[in-house]
């Protein structure tokens, strides 16, 4: 289920608790969720949009922070199915971090 995949990536991101991995997990969640059935892409997009709205209200996220997260979200959703999500999202990993 796409929603469960999104939640699982969020839980892993919180558990890892490492500065700079936010966009990687945004990308991975969107990539993995968008590959689950015909509802995967709209679920990934909707959850990502709602998440950014709540980040602004709850955490006071700036428009720039939201734009970076949304760019990572789109990268994940637009990754070719022939490319593993780990490869598509690698660009968002900080140096010396192994998920």
């Amino acid at each position: 289920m796409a929603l469960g995949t999104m939640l699982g990536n969020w839980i892993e991101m919180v558990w890892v608790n490492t500065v700079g991995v936010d966009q990687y997990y945004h990308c991975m969640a969107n990539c993995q969720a968008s590959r689950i059935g015909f509802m995967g892409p709209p679920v990934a997009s909707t959850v990502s949009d709602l998440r950014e709205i709540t980040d602004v209200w709850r955490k006071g996220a700036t428009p720039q922070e939201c734009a970076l997260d949304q760019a990572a979200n789109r990268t994940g959703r637009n990754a070719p199915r022939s490319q593993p999500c780990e490869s598509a999202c690698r660009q968002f990993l900080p140096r010396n971090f192994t998920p």
Side-chain angles (χ1 to χ4, degrees):
M1 178 165 105
L3 186 57
T5 298
M6 301 286 289
L7 179 61
N9 274 279
W10 179 78
I11 290 169
E12 186 175 339
M13 179 183 71
V14 170
W15 184 79
V16 167
N17 192 28
T18 302
V19 173
V21 298
D22 186 44
Q23 277 90 34
Y24 173 76
Y25 284 103
H26 276 265
C27 182
M28 287 294 292
N30 278 271
C31 184
Q32 292 171 351
S34 68
R35 295 177 180 191
I36 299 173
F38 73 95
M39 287 301 295
V43 167
S45 181
T46 301
V47 169
S48 295
D49 290 345
L50 291 174
R51 172 67 187 191
E52 292 311 309
I53 291 168
T54 61
D55 279 357
V56 170
W57 289 345
R58 191 173 53 92
K59 297 190 313 185
T62 67
Q64 294 82 8
E65 291 169 325
C66 291
L68 290 172
D69 288 348
Q70 289 289 35
N73 295 337
R74 283 189 301 279
T75 298
R77 285 194 303 272
N78 295 331
R81 288 187 176 263
S82 60
Q83 182 181 28
C85 292
E86 293 80 5
S87 175
C89 300
R90 185 174 297 132
Q91 63 184 304
F92 298 106
L93 280 175
R95 291 184 192 264
N96 303 321
F97 179 80
T98 304

